[in-house]
Amino acid sequence: MAADKLSTRHLLGIKDINLNDIELIFETADNFKEVINRPIKKVPSLRDITIANIFFENSTRTKLSFELAEKRLSADVVNFAASSSSVSKGETLIDTVNNILAMKVDMVVMRHPYAGAGQFLSRHINAQIVNAGDGAHEHPTQALLDAFSIREKLGDVAGKKVVIVGDILHSRVAISNILCLQKLGAEVMVCGPTTLIPKHIGALGVKVEHDLIKALNWCDVANMLRIQLERMDIKYFPTGREYSMMYGLNKQILDNLDKEIVVMHPGPINRGVEITSDVADSKQSIILNQVENGVAVRMAVLYLLASQKDS
């Protein structure tokens, strides 16, 4: 049985939480998953809490998922798209957030292009911070929902072999996933072209493989990452077509494996690049489960952090 409260006031990264925290989040998410599958999907748990979603980078899916989680918990929600606001007029991160805190906000969900932005903020303001992605650093709620989805599909994460395929170099999802899966007792491998695998990734205790077929034969779960073209300042591979031929997952490859594996993708999918449509829509894919679980896991995180305020 997990502890009954989180060991931290914020959720800044997977490296800042422990196994008990993860198990508590999962147990709480199990309960919320029942709630969101009921006819009345709302609970009054955060009725007196105001949450500001501050996104300094564009994001549709994560922002919608957080907003839905907040509304399901009956929180008051303030949305702030920083890219189209005073930030473009030179206002600093602290100014922006202090202005929002002056409106008496209890919690800030923030996505920012710079690694460590959430950490910086947590030292300067009083509200609780949830990191919704900072640069190529961490994306803790994505890692939690991915691990939660594996647990739901396979019964447990411990002892499972998970390969993360693709653009590891620019991916905050990859780093958070590696840390989360290892804390839960999974074995992790990364697979992709040499140019997209960070030099010292082996120091994290992961296996490195450049041959997709070998990686797929090794794993129980394949997490296919999106190619982060918007973060690439140079060409890391010749063409999308060549990448797809070497590291794209299609139905033929899947059917030729000597076992059934689970296929995941954090989205949004470049169909035909990382995976083909017939793989994305196959019975081995849990991509839509990930989306549904994202709401339940984010509800759990917000609820548990909010209950810290009273302790």
Side-chain angles (χ1 to χ4, degrees):
M1 177 67 192
D4 60 350
K5 58 179 275 191
L6 294 176
S7 65
T8 172
R9 237 190 116 237
H10 309 282
L11 179 61
L12 301 172
I14 298 294
K15 66 177 179 303
D16 303 313
I17 60 175
N18 59 39
L19 181 58
N20 269 336
D21 293 330
I22 296 171
E23 286 175 349
L24 176 59
I25 290 167
F26 285 179
E27 284 176 19
T28 311
D30 285 331
N31 294 330
F32 282 133
K33 192 147 183 202
E34 286 174 33
V35 169
I36 59 180
N37 283 302
R38 295 190 319 213
I40 296 169
K41 298 171 171 55
K42 247 181 156 173
V43 286
S45 312
L46 299 191
R47 204 167 27 202
D48 301 323
I49 299 284
T50 304
I51 303 175
N53 298 317
I54 310 183
F55 280 65
F56 289 86
E57 267 185 336
N58 290 335
S59 161
T60 306
R61 296 166 78 267
T62 302
K63 191 159 180 265
L64 277 177
S65 184
F66 267 111
E67 202 177 326
L68 196 54
E70 291 151 7
K71 288 178 173 172
R72 294 273 188 264
L73 290 165
S74 307
D76 292 321
V77 180
V78 181
N79 283 313
F80 183 85
S83 51
S84 59
S85 75
S86 321
V87 178
S88 52
K89 301 173 188 169
E91 190 172 89
T92 67
L93 176 57
I94 293 263
D95 292 333
T96 301
V97 178
N98 277 336
N99 286 331
I100 287 171
L101 290 181
M103 302 171 201
K104 301 289 181 275
V105 165
D106 302 287
M107 208 178 282
V108 173
V109 174
M110 184 173 75
R111 168 164 291 192
H112 201 280
Y114 296 130
Q119 210 95 30
F120 171 77
L121 212 54
S122 69
R123 291 197 295 268
H124 289 87
I125 67 169
N126 200 25
Q128 292 171 288
I129 313 292
V130 179
N131 177 8
D134 58 333
H137 179 231
E138 277 226 45
H139 191 352
T141 56
Q142 181 70 46
L144 289 165
L145 76 89
D146 287 348
F148 181 84
S149 301
I150 293 171
R151 165 182 172 269
E152 181 181 72
K153 178 76 176 175
L154 299 179
D156 200 358
V157 179
K160 300 296 179 285
K161 294 176 173 176
V162 182
V163 65
I164 304 171
V165 180
D167 185 0
I168 312 296
L169 186 64
H170 300 94
S171 175
R172 50 190 165 215
V173 172
I175 298 305
S176 288
N177 260 284
I178 289 166
L179 298 173
C180 188
L181 290 165
Q182 287 176 334
K183 283 184 180 182
L184 288 162
E187 279 185 74
V188 186
M189 175 188 281
V190 294
C191 175
T194 313
T195 50
L196 290 176
I197 304 277
K199 270 193 180 62
H200 305 295
I201 191 91
L204 288 178
V206 300
K207 296 177 165 66
V208 178
E209 177 58 71
H210 298 293
D211 182 317
L212 179 66
I213 306 300
K214 283 184 185 167
L216 295 174
N217 276 313
W218 172 85
C219 76
D220 301 305
V221 180
N223 196 349
M224 311 299 292
L225 298 183
R226 186 173 70 85
I227 294 298
Q228 310 266 333
L229 291 171
E230 70 282 3
R231 293 201 196 135
M232 293 187 185
D233 43 1
I234 60 170
K235 278 183 94 75
Y236 287 83
F237 50 86
T239 64
R241 184 166 175 272
E242 186 159 330
Y243 177 87
S244 172
M245 284 167 67
M246 298 287 292
Y247 294 100
L249 181 53
N250 59 44
K251 197 74 170 74
Q252 190 183 352
I253 292 173
L254 212 51
D255 292 344
N256 284 342
L257 297 175
D258 55 6
K259 58 180 177 179
E260 273 214 354
I261 62 167
V262 176
V263 178
M264 308 176 70
H265 194 300
I269 305 168
N270 294 315
R271 284 179 182 248
V273 181
E274 304 102 21
I275 55 176
T276 53
S277 286
D278 50 5
V279 171
D281 305 328
S282 72
K283 66 180 191 339
Q284 284 164 262
S285 157
I286 58 167
I287 295 169
L288 291 178
N289 306 64
Q290 287 173 270
V291 176
E292 183 184 340
N293 290 338
V295 177
V297 165
R298 289 176 174 123
M299 285 173 78
V301 166
L302 295 166
Y303 170 77
L304 291 166
L305 287 176
S307 56
Q308 297 279 66
K309 290 178 75 66
D310 312 322
S311 54

